[in-house]
Amino acid sequence: MISKRKSWKVDASEESCKTDLPTCPVFSETKKSRISDKENASAFCGLENEGVFEELLRTSGIVLKAGEGQNEIAVDQITFQKKLCLALEKHPTYPAVVKQFISGLESHIKDRNQFKNCLLPCTPVRTESSRNLVHSYCESLIKLLLGIKILQPAVITLLLEKIPEFFFDIVGTFGTNFPRLIVNQFKWLDRLLDSQDLVKKLMQMVSVSPVPIQHDIITSLPEILEDSQQSEVARELRKQLITANELRNIGRVTRMLQMSCLLKQGRRLTVPILDALSRLDLDADLVAEVRQSAMTIVPSVKLEDLPVVVKFILQNVKAADAVEVISDLRKSLDLSSCVLPLQIHSSQKKIKSQVQARAFPVDNGCFDSSLSQVTTSQNCVKLLFDVIKLAVRFQKDVSEAWIKAIENSTSVSDHKVLDLIVLLLIHSTNTRNRKQTEKVLRSKIRLGCMPEQLMQNAFQNHSTVIKDFFPSILALAQAFLHSAHPAVVSFGSCMYKQAFAAFDSYCQQEVVTALVTHVCSGSETELDISLDVLTDLVVLHTSLLMRYATFVKTILDSTQKLNPCQIRKLFYILSTLAFSQKQEGSYIQDDMHMVIRKWLSSTVPNHKQMGIIGAVSMIGSVALKRNEGDAASLERAELNSESDGQLSTLLDLVSFCCEQTPEVLALYYDEFASLIEKQKGKLDLQLLDGFGKSLVEDFPSDFVVDLSPTVHGSFLFPVKSLYNLDEDQSQEAIAINLLPLVSQSELGRVTAGASNQSKRAVSPMCLSPSFRLLRLYTAEQNSGSLEEIDALLGCPLYLTDLEVEGKLESLSKQEREFLCSLLFYALNWFREVVNAFCQQQDAEMKGKVLTRLQNITELQNVLGKCLAATPGYVPPPATFDSEAPEAVPSINAAGPARKRSGRKKKADGSKAGSADRSQADDSSEGNQPDTELSELDKAATDREAGNPLAQLQSYRPYFRELDLEVFTVLHCGLLTKSVLDTEMHTEAREVVQLGPAELCFLLDDLCWKLEHVLPSGSTRRVPFPKERGNKDIGFSHLCQRSPKEVAMCVVDLLKPLCKHMENMHNYFQASVQNQGAEDEPGVTIQEHQLMSSCYQLLLLTFRSLFAWNGFSQHENTDLLRSALQVLADRLKPGETEFLLLEELISESFQYLLNFQQSVPSFHCAYILTQLLIAIAEKPMSGWKKEKLASLAKQFLCQSWVKPSGDREKGSQFNSALHTLLCVYLEHTDNILKAIEEISSVGVPELMNSAKDGCSSTYPTLSRQTFPVFFRVMMAQLESSAKSIPAGKPSDSSEVQLEKLLRWNITVRNFHILINLVKVFDSRPVLNICLKYGRLFVEAFLKLAMPLLDHSFKKHTDDVQSLLKTLQLSTRQLHHMCGHSKIHQDIGLTNHVPLLKKSLEQFVYRVKAMLAFNHCQEAFWVGILKNRDLQGEEILTQGSEERGSDEEDSEDSAEGPAEEEPSGSDTDDSEQRGGAGPGPSAARP
């Protein structure tokens, strides 16, 4: 037995430590003790044979007990120790009596029960005489003996010799852990005679003891050592470390080095060693050394020991090295080891459920052990984060260092689940760090470092930890939904979904409540995202969300805030909940039926719209197909009759409510068509068979007639069949009966109240919606084939003669409006026909689709002429899921509105009014928002293209929406208009090409769609949005697709778009070469304008795609790569497949840069620049900045002339010029040099040119555009001044001189710009000067004056020159203030008080600088008179009395600086010094 235990106790780690340790001397003595124990086992059986030991103890106050009874003490502990010590010292045989006493003690403790009694606390004797003499708690006999000086060494040796006797005892054999009790005797001793010897012996014991005893000894060391000894040992260890660890004698190595050895070699002692070290007062260097040793074992430590290791590492971390320690800990900590047991348990759980489902017997033993392992793993992870939580809460440095460590990580692969959980932990624990935590998390999400997959892993694998942070998760998700960045919004929505899936019912209820609150908040973006989250939840967790259906139903009380698209989402959610589970959803069905009946019966159009949308959503849920194997489908199969009843009830109800109102019926058709398109292949059309038959029968009878040469009836215009593409098929020809239906509809409007209509109304308003529903239903029935209705593609329309040139003036108002309505109906019919047949593969059908596009462009030209002659006309509605626009579209609506606005602001006289009226308004200081400029670009396109006289853009809501599939037509080649004119006479019917007009039409519509659905990176959400109702008009079908789906469609179109743009490039390059030979100027100009519009729209399409902020999301990286690969492949065909993303960006940038030579207009140049910026920002590099600056300068130095010969100008030109100039100055390598070049070269050239001339170097710089140049230069100069670092006392002389040089150049440029006001003294220029002049002076005070304070003595001449130059500028600013007050211009005088305040601060700040450098006597104040812009004195009453002999003191002084001159704040007085409201002149 003993030999087996000996072989067991020595393991590899202990052996490695034993090899360097000397043999412990206690072992030889231990063997003797064991022999004597056997020989004298019965030598001591009671107290009858008293020896010295027993006698002295009894006389001192302790009675020894045998057996289970504890030793008794009759006196106080200190009294006992004094008596015993005195008895020993006065004993006749002293000091031999001490040895006899120890021998008696050794004999006494040979018995284990008696030894235990000596190690356990003594029991006080409760007699009447000693009741108050003895404390209720007494130490053990051994502890009391250790407190006696003359006995301590011998007792310590005796106790250490006893420990090896218990090496192989199993704890609990004798009911007592003897080694632990022995070690406890050494704790908290009042004094140790030789603590070094004790520690040495204990460490020797550790090296040879089993692990449990090692654990007890190590954890007891902090209570054994004295405080002074800890510092001494720490210093000694530091010395040993400095001497390069060349120690050979282990006896002289301190316990700390031995612990470090054990920490590296014995992983089982990790917890006790670190626990002991954490309670010792160590030197900072030693702490760092031990912490580094602990850090190295973090990756390999057991999971249950990990919390202790992390606690030690985080303990006592100093601010200086906190970031480094946390960064190392982040790299070492890996929670993937904790995830593995969870995944194993999850897979076993699935297997178990599958086996049980098959009714086979299962052994649950392995599953129980797996569950136990998972529970242990989860508990350890929770303990780990509890440790981190305590450190974060009570150690400010740890909290901030952890945030900083995460913030410093740049690579996506460096971010772990740990980072997200720690950020949530800090946000939940520390209130003061919440904003910083949220900021870091937002930044990481925007950069793609925190993808949604990482968050999903955190929720799925560590839900028990994250659940404690649920309030923070909810708060962050709510905040993220307010963000303008799509990645942040998406992350917030994903947090909601993961929290709902991972947490308990309380948290699920809170999530649903928060989402419902977002929906009812009124914020459109929050509303859309919240409904999308609820939609995902109802799809993924239908049964769970069913519990909270009551909360979701409350959204019905706030439906007035929802648009039709949002109403669809809401009713889809409610319908899914209502019909997914039969019994649970029955009450929702009843409520929905009740609400829908109420809405359908309402006379309010908005309510009826919502009723139709809700009813169609319910129809879709009832008619969904079910899987045959699904249990729910079996139940539904048994209840087919009930489903048929619900469907027929809903269909009859909606049909009854819609049949008398064409607008409502058209909405019903559109909603049903959208349902079929969305649920393609998922609807059970057998249930809708009756509805489908009536649809197929009603459409031909309502809208289609047989084609005949004459049409009988009296109409406003003669009926004529037009646009027939099937003229060769004379038999069984059909036509759309449009003009008679429009006439009937107009007549019906007049007599609607006179007759009671009893049957369904037939209106041309329902023509396009009914056809859309028919073709989608037919395609669904016939697997996408439209052969049954293909005759409608080429059939003619009953219209009238459309040769309206010169005839419109002779028509009455009713006739003109009738003709406009007829053209709108015809255009919408052609749009729906193109939507229907654009994807057909038959060559003949493709040709007809292209012809219909030509028909659309022709009709638009005619419609434009008619609308121009019909003011105040309101077209018939084409979209029925939104309210009609309140304002009537008009050609000249914008002009009068602006004039009225201007008059109102002028009459108001308020600050805001004056500021808005001036061109120096804040909104035009920086780059114009992309959305505004794009609208301007499109408006310019419409005017320049020679399209209809009326701007059809304002009538866009009255046209049917084109589907995204229509743009597949762009794959057709482009042929210029002139070539089409020469070839279409003979071959156009066989080979139809996409012409410029059709291309322009398609691109214009595509641009509007992309602008609506793909927000750019610079888009910011409006805090208080205006009208929301009209935003989605014309985009109903588009809104049912996600932005990513739309982006994917456009990426698929990039190849034909590139081909078209290359054709445009070739066209304009050829036109430049052949510019002199123009035979037909009119045709060439019109063609040039049309091609220029196509070029501009192509660039807009590219910019809308690549500026989409969704590309910043990590999950869209592959889509971005695909888009860039298309562009790069145009330069290097077949070589781009394996290029890196950065290389693809470079190749795409170079490809687009090649178009710079062919841009036909300044707007095209502006859009191309914006497109290159959008691509270059992914990411921006040095050579791209240089290219962009060079490109912008090239465009600025180019003369932009229209085909008519006029120079480009106007507000849109100025807006684009503003942006291009900003791009040039922001990307150039030397902004100060660029500003000086423009102001010193370009402006003098302009001044010397004719009245309508321009600068020869910068042709875009004219007298009309000078305010734009001046604003940008002033703004960029002020921004450049702010970028100069502030002066510091520690700066070297070279650094000070460099900063002074930069300030000298900056101030010189400022002086040049300010002096330009003497020549260009228009009000906008003055406004710019007053505003940016103040900002420049403030920047100088904040950044330059500290530099002057510390460089004045070393660089006196430079400082003096700088201040003198600036003084000249500030004088001119003062003159502007006087000019503003003389002219009483409110817009200018608004800037005067703040400017004069800054000027006065400048005077006194220079005075303080001189005082700081002990030159205060060089500063004095002079008198400054008010002058105008040209420097002439402004005479006031006071100045006239003083006479003209008084001169302004503007002499130069001997001192180092000449300071800001300024006059009084009033025109009739002058102030001295700093008195008065305005600054005065300062003179050195």
Side-chain angles (χ1 to χ4, degrees), residues 1065-1083:
H1065 173 76
N1066 297 332
Y1067 171 85
F1068 283 106
Q1069 279 199 328
S1071 66
V1072 170
Q1073 296 173 1
N1074 303 328
Q1075 197 167 6
E1078 294 182 358
D1079 299 331
E1080 297 177 328
V1083 175

Side-chain angles (χ1 to χ4, degrees), residues 328-544:
D328 293 340
L329 182 60
R330 276 187 64 251
K331 295 176 183 177
S332 302
L333 272 178
D334 188 9
L335 298 182
S336 58
S337 59
C338 315
V339 176
L340 186 60
L342 297 174
Q343 294 176 345
I344 295 174
H345 175 66
S346 151
S347 60
Q348 289 181 347
K349 192 174 180 182
K350 289 181 181 178
I351 297 173
K352 182 178 179 180
S353 61
Q354 293 174 0
V355 173
Q356 288 179 344
R358 297 173 183 173
F360 287 111
V362 184
D363 183 11
N364 291 325
C366 61
F367 298 110
D368 294 339
S369 61
S370 175
L371 180 61
S372 174
Q373 185 181 5
V374 170
T375 304
T376 303
S377 175
Q378 291 176 340
N379 291 338
C380 293
V381 174
K382 198 166 189 337
L383 285 174
L384 171 64
F385 284 102
D386 286 342
V387 168
I388 299 175
K389 184 176 182 179
L390 288 174
V392 164
R393 172 173 291 177
F394 298 110
Q395 295 174 252
K396 178 183 176 182
D397 296 333
V398 171
S399 177
E400 295 177 352
W402 213 301
I403 296 175
K404 192 69 177 176
I406 297 175
E407 190 176 7
N408 292 341
S409 298
T410 56
S411 174
V412 177
S413 58
D414 289 343
H415 293 78
K416 308 176 182 179
V417 173
L418 173 72
D419 296 331
L420 177 60
I421 299 179
V422 169
L423 287 177
L424 293 175
L425 185 150
I426 296 174
H427 188 278
S428 175
T429 305
N430 280 357
T431 307
R432 64 178 180 273
N433 292 118
R434 283 185 178 175
K435 288 187 177 180
Q436 186 182 4
T437 304
E438 183 178 338
K439 180 182 176 182
V440 171
L441 189 54
R442 283 176 183 268
S443 174
K444 293 299 180 182
I445 295 170
R446 285 196 297 267
L447 296 174
C449 298
M450 291 280 183
E452 294 180 5
Q453 183 60 45
L454 185 141
M455 179 182 56
Q456 293 173 8
N457 295 338
F459 275 87
Q460 292 172 4
N461 300 324
H462 308 289
S463 58
T464 55
V465 175
I466 295 183
K467 183 182 176 182
D468 295 338
F469 316 136
F470 177 72
S472 288
I473 292 172
L474 208 59
L476 286 171
Q478 291 172 351
F480 287 169
L481 255 63
H482 293 284
S483 174
H485 199 281
V488 179
V489 175
S490 177
F491 196 88
S493 64
C494 191
M495 290 178 77
Y496 276 128
K497 288 184 279 190
Q498 294 299 322
F500 185 88
F503 297 155
D504 56 16
S505 58
Y506 166 75
C507 298
Q508 291 171 350
Q509 179 176 322
E510 290 297 313
V511 169
V512 174
T513 305
L515 291 172
V516 172
T517 304
H518 283 301
V519 173
C520 302
S521 66
S523 174
E524 188 169 359
T525 306
E526 289 182 48
L527 206 157
D528 286 329
I529 295 297
S530 303
L531 287 175
D532 290 339
V533 173
L534 286 172
T535 303
D536 292 338
L537 292 180
V538 81
V539 171
L540 300 174
H541 310 286
T542 308
S543 58
L544 289 177

Side-chain angles (χ1 to χ4, degrees), residues 108-119:
H108 179 75
I109 63 176
K110 288 177 182 177
D111 182 85
R112 295 209 177 206
N113 288 330
Q114 293 177 1
F115 188 26
K116 183 177 71 173
N117 290 340
C118 293
L119 294 173

Side-chain angles (χ1 to χ4, degrees), residues 170-315:
I170 300 175
V171 176
T173 304
F174 296 95
T176 305
N177 189 337
F178 280 94
R180 182 176 299 172
L181 288 176
I182 293 173
V183 175
N184 286 343
Q185 307 305 309
F186 303 126
K187 292 182 179 181
W188 307 114
L189 293 176
D190 293 335
R191 59 182 176 273
L192 278 170
L193 297 181
D194 191 356
S195 58
Q196 293 286 354
D197 183 65
L198 174 60
V199 171
K200 184 180 72 171
K201 291 180 178 179
L202 285 175
M203 296 309 297
Q204 290 176 351
M205 189 65 67
V206 166
S207 64
V208 297
S209 302
V211 172
I213 298 178
Q214 291 176 333
H215 188 287
D216 293 334
I217 295 175
I218 293 171
T219 53
S220 302
L221 281 175
E223 288 81 20
I224 297 174
L225 287 173
E226 296 179 355
D227 293 340
S228 60
Q229 186 183 6
Q230 294 184 19
S231 300
E232 181 183 354
V233 170
R235 284 193 298 269
E236 183 179 351
L237 178 59
R238 183 174 57 185
K239 292 177 183 178
Q240 300 300 330
L241 294 174
I242 292 174
T243 56
N245 296 323
E246 295 181 352
L247 299 176
R248 294 292 182 266
N249 188 359
I250 195 64
R252 301 183 61 184
V253 178
T254 61
R255 60 174 179 79
M256 290 297 173
L257 189 56
Q258 294 176 13
M259 275 198 227
S260 180
C261 174
L262 289 171
L263 185 61
K264 294 177 181 177
Q265 297 178 3
R267 297 293 184 240
R268 290 177 296 177
L269 297 177
T270 299
V271 173
I273 293 173
L274 293 179
D275 180 61
L277 290 173
S278 64
R279 290 180 287 140
L280 292 176
D281 185 16
L282 304 179
D283 184 80
D285 295 337
L286 184 57
V287 169
E289 182 73 20
V290 179
R291 184 190 294 126
Q292 188 61 36
S293 299
M295 192 78 74
T296 58
I297 68 170
V298 168
S300 59
V301 75
K302 290 183 179 179
L303 186 58
E304 54 267 23
D305 296 338
L306 189 58
V308 179
V309 179
V310 173
K311 180 181 179 181
F312 175 79
I313 293 173
L314 295 179
Q315 197 171 18

Side-chain angles (χ1 to χ4, degrees), residues 746-906:
E746 296 294 330
L747 181 63
R749 267 183 215 168
V750 178
T751 61
S755 63
N756 183 15
Q757 300 181 2
S758 58
K759 67 176 191 175
R760 179 172 50 84
V762 178
S763 169
M765 204 177 295
C766 299
L767 171 62
S768 297
S770 179
F771 172 69
R772 179 176 179 82
L773 177 58
L774 174 64
R775 66 101 170 174
L776 286 170
Y777 180 81
T778 304
E780 188 75 4
Q781 288 277 35
N782 299 285
S783 303
S785 175
L786 297 178
E787 291 183 4
E788 295 183 3
I789 59 172
D790 60 355
L792 296 174
L793 172 60
C795 72
L797 282 77
Y798 278 155
L799 300 172
T800 188
D801 187 11
L802 298 180
E803 296 294 334
V804 297
E805 193 72 35
K807 300 179 182 178
L808 292 174
E809 293 77 6
S810 62
L811 299 178
S812 65
K813 179 181 179 182
Q814 182 183 11
E815 290 173 335
R816 291 197 299 268
E817 291 184 349
F818 179 87
L819 187 58
C820 289
S821 298
L822 187 66
L823 291 172
F824 269 105
Y825 286 127
L827 277 168
N828 286 329
W829 167 256
F830 284 150
R831 280 172 169 258
E832 281 300 338
V833 167
V834 171
N835 281 340
F837 296 97
C838 63
Q839 289 186 296
Q840 297 299 309
Q841 300 301 317
D842 183 70
E844 184 180 356
M845 284 192 176
K846 286 184 177 181
K848 290 181 179 180
V849 169
L850 290 175
T851 305
R852 285 306 184 209
L853 285 174
Q854 295 174 2
N855 299 151
I856 290 175
T857 57
E858 294 170 8
L859 281 176
Q860 284 188 159
N861 290 326
V862 179
L863 178 61
K865 299 174 183 177
C866 295
L867 289 174
T870 315
Y873 166 72
V874 181
T879 55
F880 308 94
D881 56 356
S882 57
E883 297 180 2
E886 297 178 2
V888 178
S890 175
I891 301 171
N892 299 321
R898 284 197 296 269
K899 291 180 181 178
R900 287 194 299 270
S901 175
R903 287 197 298 270
K904 180 178 179 182
K905 292 176 182 177
K906 187 173 182 178

Side-chain angles (χ1 to χ4, degrees), residues 1000-1201:
C1000 186
F1001 165 73
L1002 290 175
L1003 291 175
D1004 181 63
D1005 193 84
L1006 180 60
C1007 286
W1008 277 90
K1009 283 181 166 57
L1010 296 185
E1011 182 183 349
H1012 179 80
V1013 78
L1014 297 182
S1016 63
S1018 60
T1019 303
R1020 290 292 179 266
R1021 187 179 303 170
V1022 181
F1024 302 100
K1026 299 178 181 178
E1027 277 300 320
R1028 305 181 324 162
N1030 298 337
K1031 186 176 79 74
D1032 291 332
I1033 293 180
F1035 300 106
S1036 301
H1037 307 152
L1038 188 70
C1039 290
Q1040 297 185 27
R1041 298 176 183 244
S1042 67
K1044 184 175 182 179
E1045 293 174 343
V1046 176
M1048 291 174 66
C1049 293
V1050 182
V1051 170
D1052 293 337
L1053 295 173
L1054 280 181
K1055 285 186 179 180
L1057 290 174
C1058 288
K1059 188 180 297 183
H1060 286 303
M1061 196 155 69
E1062 290 164 9
N1063 290 335
M1064 295 294 169
H1065 173 76
N1066 297 332
Y1067 171 85
F1068 283 106
Q1069 279 199 328
S1071 66
V1072 170
Q1073 296 173 1
N1074 303 328
Q1075 197 167 6
E1078 294 182 358
D1079 299 331
E1080 297 177 328
V1083 175
T1084 304
I1085 290 176
Q1086 185 177 4
E1087 180 181 308
H1088 183 279
Q1089 290 177 342
L1090 188 59
M1091 300 294 283
S1092 178
S1093 299
C1094 291
Y1095 204 164
Q1096 184 169 324
L1097 290 169
L1098 282 165
L1099 290 170
L1100 274 173
T1101 304
F1102 278 88
R1103 190 190 70 175
S1104 298
L1105 174 64
F1106 287 102
W1108 176 43
N1109 52 22
F1111 279 137
S1112 61
Q1113 301 180 31
H1114 184 66
E1115 55 268 23
N1116 294 329
T1117 304
D1118 292 338
L1119 183 61
L1120 174 62
R1121 180 181 177 84
S1122 301
L1124 294 171
Q1125 193 169 349
V1126 174
L1127 302 186
D1129 200 58
R1130 309 299 292 185
L1131 282 182
K1132 296 182 177 180
E1135 301 179 13
T1136 60
E1137 184 178 357
F1138 302 104
L1139 292 181
L1140 299 176
L1141 183 62
E1142 176 61 29
E1143 296 173 340
L1144 288 175
I1145 292 173
S1146 300
E1147 294 296 332
S1148 302
F1149 185 89
Q1150 189 60 46
Y1151 168 73
L1152 294 172
L1153 195 62
N1154 293 336
F1155 291 95
Q1156 60 180 318
Q1157 302 297 335
S1158 63
V1159 285
S1161 66
F1162 193 69
H1163 275 284
C1164 289
Y1166 155 73
I1167 299 169
L1168 176 61
T1169 306
Q1170 293 291 89
L1171 170 60
L1172 289 170
I1173 291 175
I1175 290 184
E1177 287 176 346
K1178 304 175 174 48
M1180 179 74 74
S1181 57
W1183 68 270
K1184 294 176 192 171
K1185 290 187 66 175
E1186 182 181 347
K1187 291 280 188 182
L1188 285 171
S1190 174
L1191 178 67
K1193 184 177 181 180
Q1194 174 189 330
F1195 290 149
L1196 292 172
C1197 296
Q1198 185 174 341
S1199 180
W1200 298 97
V1201 182

